[in-house]
Amino acid sequence: MEAAKEPAVTKPRLPPGFRFRPTDEELVVHYLRRRALASPLPAAVDIPDVRILAHDPSDLLPPGWSEQERYFFTCKEAKYVKGRRANRATGAGYWKATGKEKPVAVAVPARAGGQGKAQAVLVGMKRSLVFYRGKPPTGSKTDWVMHEYRLAGAGLAPCRRAAGAQAGEASRPAEGWVLCRVFRKKGSASANAAADAEASPADVGSDGEAEDACEEEGAAEGGRTFIDFFARADAAGRRPQQQQGQQERRASSPVVSSSCLTDASHEQHGREQETTSRGA
């Protein structure tokens, strides 16, 4: 008899509206340290084990991905057999470190009854890398960035297991594991193009097209149309100003013409008086 197949277990996901946005301290303590100790991660968090150097960044975060960043666990690879320098080369380029490593510390509160402020305890280190296409040192810089986290200080302290076959035994985290956060730099041309491609045509259209669409939609819904009260108020406010300007122009033009007629009438009246006096 064939054994009954076990039903596939679906991994729970975060509810709609929730995003995985951990801090550096949370990534090191609650995720990287757990992976280094071979402890299970929270059920709703999916951080796969991936060999970063075997993939192109565009494959790790393909177009249309729901998030703007992605997290991976990977093991550091040495560039040389007897060396400690890490290998950063991939098939299409290489990851280049920028700046120095930054410490990741956790604030530990003072003991009960003790005095003093909370102390910062080192648990890991963070390094930033940028992906270059081609071979060093003539590679072309891209907008792909990776944050690499490794355990350090108290993060490498042994941990006693509370349950299981090895309960009570102290296990030390594996130093080879690192956690990588891969994302595309914001504000770059490629990132903006990807965002524009994901935008809907209604968002990209002009205001006139949007208004026409609203009017058509209103006509389809029983003759209801959208009334722009702000546009009407603006037009109503402009009408008194236009009328006032027209009145000022009309008031100014008769003054000039009346003055001319008055001067002409006075001049003609003076000539008539001179003619009368001469005749007399």
Side-chain angles (χ1 to χ4, degrees):
M1 296 178 62
E2 296 182 358
K5 295 182 179 181
E6 297 182 357
V9 179
T10 58
K11 196 169 186 178
R13 298 182 179 180
L14 294 174
F18 286 82
R19 299 291 183 269
F20 185 63
R21 297 290 185 269
T23 62
D24 294 343
E25 297 81 3
E26 293 171 344
L27 285 173
V28 173
V29 175
H30 298 284
Y31 297 97
L32 178 56
R33 181 171 167 83
R34 283 175 174 268
R35 183 65 188 87
L37 290 169
S39 300
L41 298 178
V45 177
D46 183 18
I47 304 179
D49 297 345
V50 176
R51 185 173 178 266
I52 297 292
L53 300 180
H55 298 275
D56 190 86
S58 58
D59 298 333
L60 298 174
L61 196 66
W65 186 258
S66 58
E67 299 290 340
Q68 298 180 355
E69 58 188 11
R70 199 174 181 185
Y71 298 85
F72 303 96
F73 288 121
T74 188
C75 289
K76 295 183 67 175
E77 301 180 12
K79 189 172 184 179
Y80 305 103
V81 178
K82 296 183 180 180
R84 299 182 61 184
R85 189 175 179 181
N87 183 23
R88 303 293 186 186
T90 66
Y94 57 95
W95 291 96
K96 183 178 179 180
T98 59
K100 298 181 179 180
E101 280 188 313
K102 297 181 180 180
V104 179
V106 176
V108 178
R111 296 181 179 180
Q115 297 180 355
K117 298 181 180 180
Q119 297 181 353
V121 178
L122 179 69
V123 293
M125 300 294 292
K126 174 184 176 182
R127 181 184 291 276
S128 298
L129 302 98
V130 179
F131 186 73
Y132 285 74
R133 294 197 180 277
K135 296 182 179 181
T138 59
S140 58
K141 185 178 180 180
T142 67
D143 53 3
W144 288 102
V145 182
M146 179 172 65
H147 291 167
E148 184 182 82
Y149 300 86
R150 67 178 180 89
L151 295 175
L156 293 171
C159 177
R160 293 185 178 275
R161 298 185 180 275
Q166 301 177 352
E169 297 182 5
S171 59
R172 190 177 183 83
E175 298 185 23
W177 284 103
V178 294
L179 193 153
C180 300
R181 171 177 173 250
V182 181
F183 62 96
R184 178 171 283 177
K185 188 177 180 180
K186 295 182 179 180
S188 60
S190 301
N192 294 336
D196 294 341
E198 294 178 1
S200 60
D203 297 336
V204 183
S206 61
D207 295 339
E209 294 178 356
E211 292 178 0
D212 295 341
C214 291
E215 291 179 359
E216 293 178 359
E217 183 179 357
E221 295 180 357
R224 291 178 294 176
T225 58
F226 174 75
I227 301 175
D228 194 349
F229 293 98
F230 294 99
R232 289 190 175 184
D234 189 12
R238 292 178 181 176
R239 288 176 183 174
Q241 297 178 359
Q242 294 177 357
Q243 293 176 358
Q244 183 179 0
Q246 293 176 359
Q247 292 176 358
E248 291 178 355
R249 287 195 297 270
R250 291 176 181 175
S252 60
S253 57
V255 171
V256 177
S257 59
S258 62
S259 61
C260 295
L261 294 173
T262 304
D263 294 341
S265 61
H266 281 297
E267 185 178 356
Q268 185 177 1
H269 182 66
R271 288 178 180 177
E272 291 178 353
Q273 287 181 354
E274 289 179 1
T275 305
T276 306
S277 62
R278 289 179 182 177

